[in-house]
Each structure stands twice: as structure tokens, then as C-alpha cells.
Amino acid sequence: MRIDARGFTFDVRAGGPEEAPPVLLLHGFPQHGGEFDDLTPALHAAGLRTYAPDQRGYSPGARPETVEAYRLAELVADVVALLGALGVEAAHLVGHDWGAVVAWAVAAAHPGRIRTLTAVSVPHPAAMAYALAHDTQQKVRSSYMVLFRQPGKAEKVLLGLRAAALRRMLAGVGDEDRVAAYAEPMRAPGALTGALNWYRAMSRGDLAAVGPVTVPTTFVWSDRDIAIGRTAAEACAQHVSGDYRFVELPGVTHWIPDEAPAALAEAIVARVRGVA
């Protein structure tokens, strides 16, 4: 389905019982709402309605050209507007990778619109800031962002030789078909630039402005995540004042929705049922 919000058109995957409690699923880089396809059947079976939008820069109808259009406040406003366009007063929110960053910010700024939060892979921005300041390994893990923030060069590196570097980055998601399902859309004109603009618009000030989260929250992290280390993961608890659960998935990489959909669905349902 397509949803109009804030002057843009977003592609949204919807499923599950129409009158059931809604769950909004926010994808990460460089994926799209389809990254949740393997776990949504379990959510539907649990009596939940799901919406998985292709976010700003990923939906062709929501791809502004300026970097400033991808600041965190704009991404947060998109989520709130999508909820309004869907007629949803309050939703259970799930976010993976960059989607988790947006989810943390939405939950902090608009707690009345969010019933529960399940953040996947990426912890609260303040926890990331702490790790970057105190953990040398986290600095190394995050060094890829230097390339991603370079206009033109990042696109050339990632898309060269039929997106060979992008495909290597996505190797953990599964077989060649699954890799292609994410890599091929990024080869469309302007698509990768829109996705990378999330990194280019990122500022320490915007991330530091994300306050503590008061809604019931679960943070799901995997110990083989190449991008997020244990220091950041364990610092997350300090920035949630609501009921908090930390779920660690051993032997799983950064691509949790693809690699461990059943375990993630279980964590989401447990969180939802904890307040339902």
C-alpha cells in the first residue's frame, strides 16, 4: 500500500488482523520494510497488525534531494505523520539499525504515541555517544561512517562493479537472493544517495537531544554485531526509565531480522504482551 504524509508518498507493507493492536516496523540501512517479512507472520499469529514503511530516501515518492531533509527531526516527523495517516493513535514501535535510532527518538519525544518500544541492534544515542567516548573498539566499529558521509565517493565505492561492496556488506543477511533484494533497489538513480543522506545529515547535537525513554522498552542486541559492541549495548539501560529488558542473541550478527526472525518476534510479542 502507499500512504501520503508530509507531501510525500511512502510504500508500506501492511498485514495482520485489521482491528488488532498496531505495530510499526522501521527498517535500517541499506534495507527496506521487507527486512521484516520473515517475522511478521509470527506477529500476525499473535494477534497484531503490522505496518512496515520504506522510509524517507527509500520510498521513491519520499526522496528529497537536500541532505538537510534527512535530519533526525524530519525522520521522526515522518513516523508521527505516518501514524496519523494510518489512523493510529498509539502503536507498538520496532526499529532496527537506523530505524532503531529513529524509534528511540520518537519514543523519547512522543511517548503518548508509543505503547512499547523494541529497539534492535542500535542502542539509545546517548549510549552510543558514551561508547564512542570511552571504548576504542567502538570507534573502530563505527569508522565506516567516515566513508558513508562523503558525497559521491561513498556511492562510487558501494555501487562499483554492480554494487559488489554493498553486496559484501550485506552478506550476513542470507543467500544471494536475499542480498539482491536489498542491493538491487539501491542501484536505482538517487536511491543510495537518499539512504546515505541519513548519515550525512547526522549531527552530534541531534543525537544528544534524544532524551530518556519512559515507555516500556526492550533492546535486542547480538554478540556478533560488527557495528555495535558490548559497551554501547550495556550502557543502553541507563537511558530508559520505563520497564526495560535487554535481550542478547548469542552467535547472531548485525542482521537480526533476517538471521533470527523467530527470536526477534518472540522478544517483540513478549514486550507487547507485557503491557497489553
Side-chain angles (χ1 to χ4, degrees), residues 15-216:
E18 291 191 6
E19 302 303 319
V23 180
L24 187 67
L25 301 149
L26 305 179
H27 67 83
F29 174 90
Q31 298 175 281
H32 47 64
E35 74 165 278
F36 300 107
D37 284 354
D38 284 351
L39 67 86
T40 51
L43 301 186
H44 301 160
L48 298 169
R49 174 75 169 170
T50 61
Y51 299 99
D54 293 351
Q55 296 185 82
R56 177 177 294 232
Y58 294 84
S59 286
R63 193 170 286 162
E65 294 184 1
T66 66
V67 170
E68 291 75 15
Y70 294 84
R71 292 186 64 177
L72 184 57
E74 299 294 338
L75 308 174
V76 168
D78 287 346
V79 172
V80 175
L82 281 169
L83 291 176
L86 290 166
V88 173
E89 181 177 349
H92 299 282
L93 186 59
V94 178
H96 171 243
D97 186 74
W98 252 113
V101 178
V102 177
W104 284 112
V106 171
H110 302 278
R113 305 301 301 272
I114 304 304
R115 296 190 64 191
T116 68
L117 169 64
T118 302
V120 187
S121 297
V122 177
H124 190 285
M128 274 297 296
Y130 172 82
L132 286 168
H134 296 90
D135 183 4
T136 301
Q137 282 300 311
Q138 186 58 58
K139 294 179 182 179
V140 174
R141 291 172 184 266
S142 299
S143 61
Y144 67 92
M145 295 185 191
V146 175
L147 170 63
F148 285 7
R149 289 169 64 88
Q150 298 181 51
K153 182 176 180 180
E155 285 88 341
K156 182 177 181 179
V157 169
L158 293 174
L159 293 180
L161 299 175
R162 296 189 67 252
L166 188 64
R167 291 171 187 272
R168 285 195 300 271
M169 189 186 78
L170 286 162
V173 304
D175 60 21
E176 291 184 5
D177 288 342
R178 189 175 290 268
V179 170
Y182 300 131
E184 287 302 311
M186 290 290 97
R187 299 179 67 199
L192 182 59
T193 296
L196 289 169
N197 278 344
W198 289 48
Y199 291 93
R200 294 162 185 167
M202 178 177 59
S203 75
R204 291 184 180 180
D206 287 347
L207 296 176
V210 178
V213 170
T214 60
V215 304

Side-chain angles (χ1 to χ4, degrees), residues 31 35 96-97 120-122 141 168-174 178 220-228 247-261 264:
Q31 298 175 281
E35 74 165 278
H96 171 243
D97 186 74
V120 187
S121 297
V122 177
R141 291 172 184 266
R168 285 195 300 271
M169 189 186 78
L170 286 162
V173 304
R178 189 175 290 268
V220 183
W221 175 75
S222 46
D223 65 1
R224 291 185 59 202
D225 192 317
I226 194 172
I228 307 294
V247 176
E248 180 176 337
L249 301 180
V252 178
T253 71
H254 177 76
W255 312 102
I256 292 174
D258 294 278
E259 190 175 349
L264 178 54

